[in-house]
Amino acid sequence: MKKSFRFSKINLQKNNEAVHAIGLKYKTHAVEKLCTNLKASRKKLGVRTAEALFGLMNLLESSDNLADVNALRNRHIHKLDGNRQGQYALDIAGRASSYRLLVQLLDENGKVATNDDNVDVTSFYGKIQIIQIEEVSKHYA
């Protein structure tokens, strides 16, 4: 698998202050295409799921850190275990949807971020400013 090194980091201006959004990396070119090309996404996932995915991607790109996304609660950010240990999932269209976005949380140096010290989840998510999108998957499929 070829890894995609495209890194999306938006720097916005708000009242003459730089606002830093979450940086997004993509594990593969195929994942990047699914998350950035609406036509391809609609073809593979269907119209409703593709539009929900793009809504989530816009939310991620416009948030300062993962704590902002977690505050909304409808995306149900949760830690995975088993063979997906160290990864997190976000519901694409709420809990009723079977699609989820699998991500790897990275620190400011691009290394995998872990909550080994068991700090408050909001504090931990507040430090996350880079997310690597691993895959879009249909849960229980």
Side-chain angles (χ1 to χ4, degrees), residues 123-134:
S123 299
F124 174 64
Y125 289 159
K127 296 176 185 175
I128 304 301
Q129 294 181 337
I130 304 171
I131 296 175
Q132 178 169 300
I133 311 296
E134 299 285 316

Side-chain angles (χ1 to χ4, degrees), residues 3 7 34 42 57-58 62 64 67 77 100 106 110 119 130:
K3 286 195 174 192
F7 183 75
L34 196 59
R42 283 180 175 161
M57 297 306 295
N58 287 332
S62 64
D64 290 338
I77 302 170
R100 62 188 186 169
L106 306 175
V119 296
I130 304 171

